[in-house]
């Protein structure tokens, strides 16, 4: 009965309209690209497409949680790159891959804590605070291996186990990386919908002053949100590293934009306090389908960027118009 009530509550959420629209967009885009190029619907391409969604979904989860607090995280792409470089560098230097992953996670979550302190404690504007950590993390990604990309992480059992876990391994047609990404989504979706932390994140995004007066620890909640973002970026970095089999100093470039796109297309408001993480699945799928379909259609990279940029801007404008419309309705 409790689960039924929770489902009914979620379906009654005004944000579900944006989620349904995003999923409808996924279906429409798949039909359009299949008509344009039948190879789009081939088994191999669809399997590759689903796997390519993973890093977009992960950074979308992190950025989505941050947007729900009314903030933004520009350090996502650099944390991803730092994650790829730290893990690959340690493995290439003979560190046990499991220990390398633990060190990597600790280093990335530490960035989330720093972001939380800067923004939640010292009240730095999130754009400035995370811009600073973005630059620092990109610098760390570059110097961790002496300003060089790493070599191949090798084919030792544990190293190959990591590559299989995050990218190449699969059960039937389902890649392990997809399973890992969905498990992470389920965990944070549960946190956002069924825990006090999730309610507090929505509360400070809706009205931070009212949340503080209601007893919400804004500093703690903001820090938790940024730690979630950093953790998701860390795992996305491992996915990118596993795919390449090495660490690249350029890994994660523009991923802060990908995270915003996945969240916003999925219906999460840039104004905070409104949206559902289920929409990030649709948003990241739209992003990956556009990249894949436009590539198969031989659309130039510059034009692909313009098209996707226009879609993101349109989604933000529609969100602002919707939110303003609600306010006007209340005044009346």
């Amino acid at each position: 009965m409790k689960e039924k009530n929770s489902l009914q509550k979620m379906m009654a959420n005004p944000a579900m309209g944006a989620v349904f629209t995003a999923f409808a967009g996924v279906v429409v885009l798949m039909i359009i690209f299949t008509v344009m190029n039948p190879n789009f619907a081939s088994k191999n391409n669809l399997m590759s497409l689903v796997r390519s969604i993973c890093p977009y979904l992960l950074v979308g989860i992190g950025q989505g949680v941050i947007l729900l607090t009314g903030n933004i995280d520009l350090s996502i792409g650099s944390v991803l790159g730092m994650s790829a470089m730290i893990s690959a560098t340690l493995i290439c230097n003979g560190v046990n891959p499991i220990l390398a992953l633990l060190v990597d996670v600790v280093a990335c979550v530490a960035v989330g804590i720093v972001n939380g302190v800067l923004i939640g404690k010292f009240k730095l504007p999130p754009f400035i605070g995370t811009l600073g950590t973005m630059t620092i993390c990109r610098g760390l990604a570059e110097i961790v291996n002496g300003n060089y990309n790493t070599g191949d992480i090798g084919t030792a059992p544990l190293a190959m186990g990591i590559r299989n876990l995050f990218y190449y391994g699969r059960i039937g047609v389902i890649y392990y990386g997809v399973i890992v990404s969905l498990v992470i989504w389920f965990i944070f979706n549960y946190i956002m919908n069924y825990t006090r932390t999730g309610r507090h994140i929505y509360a400070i995004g809706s009205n931070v002053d009212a949340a503080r007066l209601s007893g919400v620890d804004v500093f703690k909640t903001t820090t938790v949100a940024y730690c979630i973002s950093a953790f998701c970026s860390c795992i996305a970095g491992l996915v990118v590293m596993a795919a390449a089999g090495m660490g690249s100093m350029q890994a994660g470039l523009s991923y802060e934009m990908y995270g915003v796109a996945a969240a916003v297309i999925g219906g999460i408001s840039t104004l905070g306090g409104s949206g559902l993480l289920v929409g990030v699945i649709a948003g990241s799928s739209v992003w990956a389908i556009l990249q894949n379909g436009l590539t198969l259609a031989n659309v130039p990279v510059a034009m692909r960027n313009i098209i996707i940029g226009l879609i993101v801007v349109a989604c933000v404008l529609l969100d602002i118009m919707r939110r303003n419309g609600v306010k006007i309705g209340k005044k009346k």
Side-chain angles (χ1 to χ4, degrees):
M1 186 70 178
K2 184 177 180 181
E3 292 182 358
K4 184 178 179 181
N5 290 336
S6 298
L7 179 61
Q8 290 175 341
K9 183 178 179 181
M10 184 181 75
M11 295 301 293
N13 192 313
M16 281 303 298
V19 172
F20 285 132
T21 300
F23 276 107
V26 170
V27 175
V28 171
L29 284 174
M30 292 189 71
I31 293 173
I32 290 174
F33 286 127
T34 299
V35 172
M36 292 175 64
N37 188 336
N39 289 329
F40 177 84
S42 67
K43 178 182 176 181
N44 288 338
N45 187 64
L46 290 178
M47 288 176 64
S48 176
L49 173 62
V50 171
R51 184 167 56 175
S52 71
I53 292 172
C54 295
Y56 301 144
L57 174 59
L58 289 166
V59 296
I61 294 168
Q63 192 70 268
V65 171
I66 297 299
L67 290 176
L68 286 171
T69 66
N71 297 311
I72 193 168
D73 188 355
L74 298 181
S75 68
I76 278 179
S78 295
V79 173
L80 187 159
M82 187 180 77
S83 169
M85 284 298 295
I86 289 176
S87 56
T89 299
L90 291 175
I91 293 172
C92 287
N93 281 277
V95 176
N96 182 294
I98 295 176
L99 178 59
L101 296 193
L102 291 175
V103 171
D104 191 28
V105 170
V106 170
C108 292
V109 172
V111 177
I113 294 174
V114 171
N115 281 333
V117 170
L118 291 175
I119 294 158
K121 185 72 173 178
F122 294 105
K123 312 302 180 186
L124 261 68
F127 184 89
I128 300 300
T130 59
L131 181 64
T133 51
M134 176 187 78
T135 307
I136 293 169
C137 290
R138 182 57 62 186
L140 290 173
E142 292 170 350
I143 68 172
V144 69
N145 195 49
N147 288 312
Y148 289 99
N149 295 334
T150 72
D152 195 294
I153 64 173
T155 57
L158 283 177
M160 283 305 300
I162 289 173
R163 296 192 70 182
N164 287 330
L165 174 63
F166 290 105
Y167 196 76
Y168 288 103
R170 68 184 188 184
I171 302 176
V173 297
I174 306 298
Y175 286 99
Y176 292 138
V178 175
I179 296 173
V180 169
S181 300
L182 288 177
V183 167
I184 291 173
W185 176 84
F186 274 113
I187 291 172
F188 291 122
N189 185 64
Y190 178 85
I191 289 173
M192 293 302 298
N193 288 306
Y194 302 109
T195 69
R196 178 182 297 178
T197 298
R199 291 193 294 272
H200 287 180
I201 286 174
Y202 276 103
I204 66 175
S206 297
N207 190 318
V208 65
D209 293 325
R212 185 180 290 109
L213 291 173
S214 299
V216 174
D217 189 331
V218 175
F219 166 50
K220 177 182 176 181
T221 303
T222 300
T223 302
V224 168
Y226 275 104
C227 285
I228 290 173
S229 177
F231 175 78
C232 289
S233 298
C234 176
I235 303 303
L238 293 175
V239 172
V240 171
M241 184 275 290
M246 59 175 285
S248 170
M249 293 185 295
Q250 305 304 311
L253 289 178
S254 299
Y255 266 76
E256 52 279 340
M257 179 181 69
Y258 299 164
V260 171
V264 170
I265 292 173
I268 292 180
S269 174
T270 56
L271 302 178
S274 175
L276 297 167
L277 283 190
V278 67
V280 177
I281 296 177
S284 56
S285 299
V286 167
W287 185 266
I289 289 169
L290 283 169
Q291 293 280 16
N292 183 278
L294 293 174
T295 299
L296 288 178
N298 295 317
V299 176
V301 174
M303 186 56 65
R304 295 205 303 263
N305 290 336
I306 291 172
I307 292 172
I308 295 172
L310 288 172
I311 291 174
V312 172
V313 171
C315 288
V316 174
L317 285 175
L318 288 173
D319 172 56
I320 292 174
M321 291 170 64
R322 179 180 64 82
R323 294 284 287 260
N324 287 339
V326 170
K327 291 177 181 179
I328 292 172
K330 285 183 179 180
K331 288 181 179 179
K332 289 181 179 180

